[in-house]
Amino acid sequence: MCGIVGIINSDNLKIKAINVLSKLEYRGYDSAGVSFLAKNNIKTITEVGKISQLSKSLTSTGYNAFDSVIGHTRWATHGIVSKNNAHPFSNQKISLVCNGIIENYSELKLKYLKNYKKNIESDTETIFLVLNELSKKIKDHNKLIQKLVSIIKGHYAFLIYFSDTQEIFSLKSGSPLSVGKNADGIYFSSDPSALTEYVNNIYHLQDGDIIKVSVNTISHLNGKKVIFENQAKVVNEFSKGDFKHFMIKEIYEQPHVIKKTQKYYDADYFLDFRNKLKDLTNNLDSFVFVGCGTAYHACLVAKYYFEQFTDIDVSCEYASELRYKNISTKKNSIYVFISQSGETMDTLMALKYVKSKGYTTIVVTNSLESTMVREANITLPTFAMKEIGVASTKAFTCQLLALANLCIEIGNIRKNISKKEYIQLKQDLKNIPTKITKILKNSSYIDKVVSLLSSSKACYFIARNIVFPIALEGSLKLKEISYMHSEGFAGGEMKHGPIALIDKNVLSICLNPKNKLYEKSSSNCEEILARGGKVVVFSSKKSSSKKNLLQIIMPKENYIDTPFIYTIPLQLISYYFALNEGTDIDQPRNLAKSVTVE
Ligand code: M6R
């Protein structure tokens, strides 16, 4: 993962570098560092921890003699979290930052650094030292960089500075990197949206690109033209406003972003998209939904939707599994990739793999400038806007909305649902923001659930049918931000093993909408209570009160809005429990917002 920044031939370097790195911090926050750059002069400062730590170290320093800077925020892959493994790696001649993984670094170490005494832990440090070794023989920097590219294997983006010529090279293979230019300098970033306040024109590097910056000139080493595109300004997306954390701000944004997304689908978008779908779904055998983490849970919900409203076969795949599977090329399938960031390495690689087999690919994302959007045949956009909290909330519910719309469009095209049903389902989707607003207003149960969680050693989420993926999602939210042990189970599976976990120290949260499986899930609750477990049940139907059972009454649901209704309270209880535990909610330990390594 990691984020990299470069600001070349500019001023206010300290402020700008910290500003861009703070926006890239979602990509990793184990350590951070910057190299200030000038002719034959490199000054590097690194710190373990977040950008705020690095910012503090920089306050007492001047660095006015420098005209450029490169910087890095790290999510540790190879080598522990330490100052030694923090980027940039530098000496007085070269400074280098990298995002990604160099897979053959052990081989390179053996080949080029045999006589090296120092214990080298990280892949990037290996590359830095190899580059220094190679530079003893290859004096021309263009040739040196080409040699480096020819010997490294992996997914990466690099910025490499040579102080003798003041040239900066940027290399991309797999990991994202963009460059922008304006009158006061040249800017590089792993995420172009981190640069919007500095540049309007952006070039997204392609795999295999080697871009050189020398005396304000940007050129491609293989002679290709660097063509800049206009980038839309992102207004105030990096501000928490009056909220304590991005996560809670993003939870409360849901009615607004869902409304905005639905409005877009109700206007012109689906007119055009529907025609494309008509062609694509002729003779179609199946849809395959692909994602990781929360996005995978959206895939599971899509499967329930499609089984309910269409006659098409649907399957779901973890991107990390799909990318290494043999897939048949005989089937006429559409692959739908779901990703908040549009940059998740496993999802991106699975998309490229599936595309190489000739399948049509659709990406569902809110990151409309992302690599997946550029790779996929069709984009189904959501307007969740930028999501900063590591725990996905509004991006998830907007993904559900996109998938619900996709499903009913297909159901309509294939005449699996009547015109009347189609209109009603559309109306149900339009009503979702109002229902969510109501749920957000009525949160009096939260303290009680937080207190039950505080007195429990583990929490299990139990549900059936369309809310089963929401149980998995609730469990993921709880464990990632509070670190409490948690699992999600399909109600019917409890007797096949998980019920052995139940005792008086365990809390079970049961999602029980009023549908044909209501009684079955009620039996699950009874069985847990009978074994001394504590139960919180979210349901639109009131049942008789019982010892150790806390009931929370939910608004009446339809099949299509059920997953939305049951997601919101789980986001809230995870947030408030984590707040109570005092964890780092927006940047939980060991995680990063965008998983751009395998
Ligand atoms: O950016 P993506 O949607 O592709 O990310 C996928 C997962 O890494 C992500 O959903 C992760 O599970 C979240 N932290 C969950 O809240």
Side-chain angles (χ1 to χ4, degrees), residues 292-295 339-341 344 390-392 476-477 480 595:
C292 302
T294 288
S339 176
Q340 182 285 129
S341 59
T344 299
V390 162
S392 189
L476 177 59
K477 276 313 70 110
E480 78 177 319
V595 183

Side-chain angles (χ1 to χ4, degrees), residues 512-518 539-541 556-557 566:
N512 198 6
K514 193 179 160 194
N515 60 25
K516 59 181 182 195
L517 292 171
Y518 174 81
S539 179
S540 50
K541 184 172 170 182
K556 231 174 117 197
E557 65 280 305
Y566 286 81

Side-chain angles (χ1 to χ4, degrees), residues 100-276:
I101 288 183
I102 307 303
E103 283 160 4
N104 62 337
Y105 83 105
S106 304
E107 259 167 60
L108 295 174
K109 207 189 300 188
L110 279 177
K111 183 163 177 193
Y112 293 97
L113 307 173
K114 269 195 299 282
N115 303 325
Y116 232 80
K117 295 276 173 316
K118 193 178 168 230
N119 178 26
I120 311 162
E121 282 184 46
S122 90
D123 51 347
T124 306
E125 186 175 15
T126 305
I127 299 308
F128 172 72
L129 295 171
V130 167
L131 188 65
N132 274 279
E133 282 305 305
L134 292 173
S135 72
K136 290 176 190 161
K137 290 197 190 112
I138 309 173
K139 299 294 171 200
D140 179 288
H141 295 334
N142 291 3
K143 288 190 180 137
L144 176 60
I145 291 293
Q146 273 157 340
K147 172 73 184 172
L148 181 74
V149 170
S150 73
I151 60 169
I152 54 178
K153 284 193 198 133
H155 296 286
Y156 55 77
F158 276 99
L159 288 179
I160 302 172
Y161 175 74
F162 293 99
S163 71
D164 54 352
T165 54
Q166 292 190 276
E167 289 163 331
I168 297 231
F169 289 84
S170 55
L171 333 176
K172 175 192 177 334
S173 173
S175 302
L177 187 60
S178 303
V179 58
K181 188 177 179 191
N182 77 6
D184 85 346
I186 292 168
Y187 296 74
F188 286 94
S189 169
S190 301
D191 177 349
S193 70
L195 296 181
T196 46
E197 64 190 272
Y198 303 116
V199 283
N200 299 328
N201 296 321
I202 284 278
Y203 172 70
H204 305 291
L205 274 75
Q206 309 293 303
D207 284 345
D209 274 359
I210 306 176
I211 303 279
K212 178 164 101 170
V213 178
S214 173
V215 204
N216 264 337
T217 310
I218 304 176
S219 59
H220 214 291
L221 229 54
N222 66 11
K224 230 169 88 181
K225 236 181 148 170
V226 179
I227 300 169
F228 289 91
E229 301 165 12
N230 210 286
Q231 149 159 277
K233 275 238 178 294
V234 183
V235 187
N236 220 9
E237 290 209 314
F238 291 94
S239 155
K240 285 199 275 256
D242 291 337
F243 290 93
K244 194 167 171 146
H245 294 100
F246 281 108
M247 182 180 175
I248 191 72
K249 173 179 174 250
E250 287 159 0
I251 290 174
Y252 275 87
E253 274 169 5
Q254 289 176 109
H256 171 67
V257 291
I258 289 175
K259 193 170 177 180
K260 193 167 166 189
T261 304
Q262 188 59 43
K263 222 171 166 180
Y264 180 76
Y265 300 153
D266 290 342
D268 21 351
Y269 183 74
F270 270 112
L271 292 179
D272 191 32
F273 190 64
R274 201 177 292 135
N275 292 335
K276 271 190 210 155

Side-chain angles (χ1 to χ4, degrees), residues 14-24 51 194 197-198:
K14 244 188 333 189
I15 293 169
K16 286 179 181 169
I18 291 296
N19 183 20
V20 177
L21 282 174
S22 307
K23 291 174 181 170
L24 295 177
I51 306 300
E197 64 190 272
Y198 303 116

Side-chain angles (χ1 to χ4, degrees), residues 164 292 372 473 584:
D164 54 352
C292 302
M372 278 183 221
E473 174 57 10
D584 193 343

Side-chain angles (χ1 to χ4, degrees), residues 491-549:
E493 280 297 295
M494 288 303 285
K495 298 187 184 64
H496 301 286
I499 201 160
L501 295 166
I502 301 300
D503 67 23
K504 63 178 183 354
N505 299 314
V506 165
L507 181 66
S508 299
I509 296 186
C510 185
L511 311 181
N512 198 6
K514 193 179 160 194
N515 60 25
K516 59 181 182 195
L517 292 171
Y518 174 81
E519 299 300 341
K520 303 275 177 215
S521 292
S522 299
S523 300
N524 284 130
C525 298
E526 295 290 349
E527 286 156 11
I528 293 165
L529 291 170
R531 282 153 185 86
K534 296 171 283 183
V535 175
V536 172
V537 63
F538 288 92
S539 179
S540 50
K541 184 172 170 182
K542 195 167 170 17
S543 67
S544 52
S545 44
K546 289 184 184 79
K547 192 176 166 231
N548 285 337
L549 175 80

